[in-house]
Amino acid sequence: MDRRGKNLTGEAWDFRSWIKTAVTLIVLGIIIAIAGTGLVARTTDRMLKSDARIEAENWSSYLTLNITDYQQILEGVAPSPASQTFFEQARQVGRVYRFKLYDLTGRLRLSSDDPGRTKQEQANLFVEIPAVRPMLDSKQPFVRVGEIGSGGQTSYFAESVVPVAANGKPIGFLQVLISQDKRRELFLSAATEGAVTMGILLAIGPAWGFWYRTRQKRSIERRLNYATTHDPLTGLMNRSAWLRSFSEALSRTAPERPVLTVLSVEISGVRFANETLGNSAGDHLLKVSAERLAEVAGSTSFIARIGASKFGLLAAPFSDAMDVAKLAQTIIHDLSKPINFHGTNFSTEVSVGVALSPTDGSEQVHLVKAAEIASAIAHEAGRNCYRFFDASVEKVAERQRQLERFAGEALDLNALDVHYQPIIGLKDGKLKGFEALLRVTHPELGPLSPAEFVAAAENSGNIERIGAWCIEQACRIARQWPDPLTLSVNISPIQFESGRLIANLRRILDKTRFPAYRLELEITEGIMLGDAEFIHTQLRTLQEMGLRVSLDDFGTGYSSLSYLWKYPFSRIKIDQSFVRQIEESPMAKGIVTTIVSLGRSIGVPLTAEGIETPGQLAFLRQVKCEYGQGYLFSRPVPSAELAAIIIKDFAGHLPQKKRRLEQRVATPEVTSGSS
């Protein structure tokens, strides 16, 4: 009994001792875990700040290198459509979900909430964040991590304010709000798990706990590094990591080594997939395209997703440009193959731009820009094309970009004017009206071709605003003319197809109080290739409003006789290319004669454009063309010279009016005498 009792007492003591030790270890582990969790929270904040600083600096550098009108935006000029599109694409690729641009005085100039308009608010950045002011001297970004409460939920963010510089001089501040929810969750979950586990292990064995902590730390670092340097959708490097790899490769390239090859690969068709079957379809196309590109490029190349549907490739050195061309052809061949998504095959078009170092540049920025310019040229060339960078083409592209930016600013700069060219009745030589013609003067390039400027305005999305302004200006001037005189204005196909033309015309006519029956709209034959029902509805509505519609440049482009009886045209204008050849080409004479006969047979009057010689005028009168315009009568003139033309026409026909009046007065007397 006693031994047994002693044994029981000893066992009970050992059990109580084990329980006590276990409880002590558990409490110690909990204390360590709690302390570790607090440390994790502080460490997480520091890591988030560091990550936000890197992301904001990379994003600021990325925008500075790619937004050509950065300086103008900070000076209060609205960003170009290309810059607006670039801002949106950059945000889709990165984690920045809100950004603001401030000038050096702290005034808000641009916000992602309204990227198409600049702001004119008073200085508020320095009031909101006083710590930002010393940044100009320290040149260090300001970063803080916080929370945003909305709808009962809390989102974590990192706010960073980065000084923006151009040519080594500060020009403003970029404030970005970077989403940190996923990263914070990643940091906290992994680090908290490690801290709790570490606490238990430290209580049991410090050495093993230290080993496990190191392992977890390395795992977190790997995951963080991957998340920071890779695109989450395709698994390829992101733009920032790719550019760093590019810089390293460029620095290792010796003059005697083969050239580096940079390719910009753009995929078309993702947007159609998104609109057809949703964003998952577009994501699938990008994933498959990335896999195919990686397979073609091989393990020696650096590949990245550098845009919404654009990939960058830094290929292994080539000694022959033909090998580069073969690589581009292989990329196009493999990536343009149909991609199946849930039973639907999607076709993609691939545009590849190629830039070579050092031929096309010795710096990273120049080479990437050259490859992207070549890719854009390949895209314009047609389906599935590749192009090498050409400096001469780049100058043309740069001029086009300059004109597109200017198209958005032309009205504000008062760079537009409307001139007027007389339209003459060829039978009696009387003035019948004027055609309004746009004239453009660039502050640096001087007078621009209207055709070139209109093309830039169409590409940049400004043609509707400019076209409406032109019509309103012309109607305001034409309201002062004598009632018989008409006004003709040209309409861009984009204006016609937008669906807003009718509303704009009604607004302009009401505002200027110009009679609709005196306004004639000139449209080109290219418009006729669109939706026939929509075209007919638009033309019928214009006719019901009292407007007249003429078919401009007839005889070129997509001429079809079916247009003349299918649509209600009030006039046909013979293209000037035929008129100018009347005296030299019998074929041109035949074409003009046929067009005039055709118009007369269907009861539609004709106007001949580009009349420059008396011989041309004599022939057109001979074939009984009703109206004409050209330098023989007058060049286009500004509105200030219109009164002189109208008065001269009136005075020149006074004798004819007097004779007709005398004849009408004399006729009854003769009749009376004979009876």
Side-chain angles (χ1 to χ4, degrees):
M1 279 293 294
D2 292 342
R3 179 177 293 181
R4 182 176 174 81
K6 288 179 181 179
N7 290 338
L8 289 174
T9 302
E11 290 174 5
W13 185 87
D14 291 339
F15 180 75
R16 286 195 300 272
S17 178
W18 181 85
I19 290 294
K20 184 178 180 180
T21 304
V23 171
T24 302
L25 291 174
I26 291 173
V27 171
L28 180 60
I30 292 174
I31 293 173
I32 295 174
I34 292 173
T37 302
L39 179 62
V40 164
R42 291 191 296 273
T43 303
T44 297
D45 283 346
R46 288 197 297 270
M47 295 176 71
L48 290 176
K49 285 185 178 181
S50 177
D51 176 68
R53 180 180 290 109
I54 294 172
E55 180 75 5
E57 288 177 338
N58 287 341
W59 211 70
S60 174
S61 300
Y62 180 40
L63 293 184
T64 305
L65 293 174
N66 290 276
I67 299 300
T68 57
D69 54 347
Y70 215 128
Q71 179 73 51
Q72 291 84 347
I73 293 173
L74 288 172
E75 292 174 354
V77 179
S80 66
S83 296
Q84 296 178 39
T85 302
F86 193 84
F87 278 133
E88 184 60 29
Q89 291 179 346
R91 288 179 59 201
Q92 292 176 4
V93 175
R95 291 182 293 115
V96 174
Y97 70 89
R98 185 181 300 163
F99 68 86
K100 295 180 180 179
L101 286 174
Y102 297 85
D103 60 18
L104 287 175
T105 65
R107 287 185 300 176
L108 177 62
R109 286 303 191 181
L110 183 67
S111 172
S112 58
D113 296 331
D114 191 6
R117 297 172 52 193
T118 55
K119 306 291 182 181
Q120 299 294 335
E121 300 182 10
Q122 297 299 321
N124 56 15
L125 177 62
F126 299 148
V127 176
E128 179 184 350
I129 310 176
V132 171
R133 190 178 294 276
M135 286 170 47
L136 287 176
D137 296 327
S138 64
K139 298 182 180 180
Q140 294 297 319
F142 169 83
V143 180
R144 65 181 177 184
V145 177
E147 303 175 3
I148 297 178
S150 177
Q153 297 181 349
T154 300
S155 297
Y156 293 89
F157 73 99
E159 182 183 31
S160 183
V161 180
V162 183
V164 178
N167 299 322
K169 296 182 179 179
I171 60 174
F173 301 91
L174 170 65
Q175 181 185 29
V176 294
L177 211 59
I178 301 170
S179 174
Q180 298 286 25
D181 284 335
K182 292 184 179 179
R183 272 174 164 70
R184 188 177 189 278
E185 182 181 348
L186 171 66
F187 296 163
L188 285 178
S189 61
T192 302
E193 178 185 355
V196 172
T197 306
M198 181 182 66
I200 298 173
L201 293 177
L202 283 175
I204 298 173
W208 191 83
F210 179 76
W211 171 82
Y212 189 78
R213 177 181 177 276
T214 304
R215 179 184 175 187
Q216 288 295 97
K217 182 180 178 181
R218 290 176 179 173
S219 175
I220 293 172
E221 289 175 349
R222 286 194 299 269
R223 293 162 67 183
L224 175 61
N225 180 67
Y226 185 86
T228 306
T229 59
H230 286 74
D231 172 53
L233 177 64
T234 62
L236 299 176
M237 283 191 292
N238 59 27
R239 188 182 184 96
S240 298
W242 184 67
L243 291 176
R244 284 196 297 272
S245 300
F246 189 176
S247 295
E248 294 171 0
L250 202 59
S251 63
R252 293 193 301 267
T253 302
E256 64 274 6
R257 294 183 60 185
V259 297
L260 287 177
T261 303
V262 185
L263 294 93
S264 176
V265 182
E266 186 168 3
I267 308 296
S268 301
V270 176
R271 180 178 178 182
F272 175 75
N274 287 335
E275 294 174 349
T276 305
L277 295 180
N279 291 339
S280 57
D283 291 346
H284 181 70
L285 260 65
L286 289 171
K287 289 179 183 178
V288 174
S289 297
E291 292 170 359
R292 292 178 178 178
L293 181 59
E295 185 176 350
V296 171
S299 58
T300 59
S301 301
F302 295 99
I303 311 172
R305 183 186 178 196
I306 60 176
S309 55
K310 185 183 296 184
F311 301 97
L313 190 152
L314 179 61
F318 289 94
S319 57
D320 190 347
M322 290 301 298
D323 293 333
V324 181
K326 290 178 181 178
L327 174 61
Q329 291 172 340
T330 304
I331 291 173
I332 292 172
H333 177 268
D334 286 14
L335 270 63
S336 61
K337 292 178 181 177
I339 299 175
N340 185 275
F341 180 75
H342 296 329
T344 301
N345 285 329
F346 289 96
S347 297
T348 59
E349 296 179 6
V350 186
S351 305
V352 179
V354 182
L356 305 176
S357 168
T359 307
D360 300 325
S362 56
E363 297 182 5
Q364 169 210 90
V365 176
H366 297 153
L367 287 169
V368 174
K369 183 179 180 181
E372 292 181 339
I373 290 173
S375 176
I377 295 171
H379 181 76
E380 294 176 359
R383 296 166 56 98
N384 298 327
C385 292
Y386 73 90
R387 290 291 184 270
F388 283 81
F389 175 74
D390 185 343
S392 62
V393 176
E394 195 268 341
K395 290 181 180 178
V396 175
E398 177 59 32
R399 177 181 173 87
Q400 182 65 21
R401 289 192 295 271
Q402 183 181 13
L403 292 182
E404 290 178 6
R405 291 194 300 270
F406 173 65
E409 307 166 352
L411 286 175
D412 298 329
L413 296 174
N414 294 321
L416 304 182
D417 193 12
V418 181
H419 285 199
Y420 303 85
Q421 186 172 40
I423 300 174
I424 306 298
L426 299 186
K427 182 178 180 180
D428 55 13
K430 288 185 178 180
L431 177 66
K432 303 298 181 182
F434 294 89
E435 179 182 359
L437 299 169
L438 184 65
R439 291 295 179 263
V440 188
T441 303
H442 192 282
E444 298 176 359
L445 302 177
L448 298 177
S449 161
E452 184 182 28
F453 176 77
V454 168
E458 290 176 338
N459 292 335
S460 63
N462 291 288
I463 189 62
E464 281 192 80
R465 191 164 64 100
I466 292 172
W469 175 88
C470 185
I471 296 173
E472 182 175 335
Q473 289 292 109
C475 288
R476 198 182 306 277
I477 295 297
R479 190 182 62 182
Q480 306 171 28
W481 302 342
D483 193 1
L485 298 183
T486 62
L487 169 67
S488 297
V489 293
N490 293 278
I491 299 296
S492 164
I494 294 178
Q495 287 177 270
F496 191 86
E497 296 165 2
S498 68
R500 294 180 290 271
L501 177 63
I502 303 297
N504 286 336
L505 287 170
R506 283 179 173 148
R507 176 185 59 80
I508 292 170
L509 292 174
D510 289 343
K511 185 176 180 180
T512 61
R513 291 179 294 172
F514 185 69
Y517 69 88
R518 292 175 59 192
L519 179 60
E520 182 176 285
L521 306 179
E522 298 185 9
I523 64 174
T524 58
E525 299 175 30
I527 293 176
M528 303 295 105
L529 296 178
D531 184 346
E533 183 177 354
F534 173 77
I535 295 169
H536 196 274
T537 301
Q538 290 275 92
L539 293 178
R540 187 172 60 249
T541 303
L542 293 171
Q543 192 177 45
E544 291 171 355
M545 290 173 59
L547 298 167
R548 292 182 290 182
V549 180
S550 66
L551 183 58
D552 196 12
D553 298 336
F554 186 78
T556 62
Y558 308 96
S559 296
S560 172
L561 297 180
S562 63
Y563 300 153
L564 300 181
W565 63 266
K566 186 183 297 183
Y567 301 115
F569 293 115
S570 304
R571 190 193 306 269
I572 299 172
K573 301 194 74 173
I574 305 173
D575 186 71
Q576 59 185 341
S577 61
F578 299 122
V579 175
R580 289 173 178 171
Q581 295 296 320
I582 285 176
E583 295 179 289
E584 291 80 16
S585 171
M587 183 177 293
K589 284 185 177 180
I591 292 174
V592 172
T593 301
T594 301
I595 295 175
V596 173
S597 299
L598 176 63
R600 192 161 50 249
S601 66
I602 61 177
V604 179
L606 289 98
T607 298
E609 298 181 291
I611 303 175
E612 298 180 350
T613 67
Q616 296 168 357
L617 175 61
F619 177 80
L620 291 168
R621 282 175 171 169
Q622 179 184 341
V623 297
K624 298 182 180 179
C625 179
E626 290 90 341
Y627 305 100
Q629 62 185 105
Y631 288 177
L632 180 64
F633 306 114
S634 172
R635 291 176 175 271
V637 299
S639 58
E641 300 180 22
L642 291 176
I645 294 177
I646 295 173
I647 293 173
K648 180 180 178 181
D649 175 77
F650 180 78
H653 291 90
L654 277 178
Q656 298 179 13
K657 293 179 181 179
K658 182 179 179 181
R659 284 195 300 271
R660 286 197 298 268
L661 181 60
E662 292 173 348
Q663 290 175 358
R664 284 198 299 268
V665 173
T667 299
E669 296 177 358
V670 174
T671 304
S672 176
S674 62
S675 62

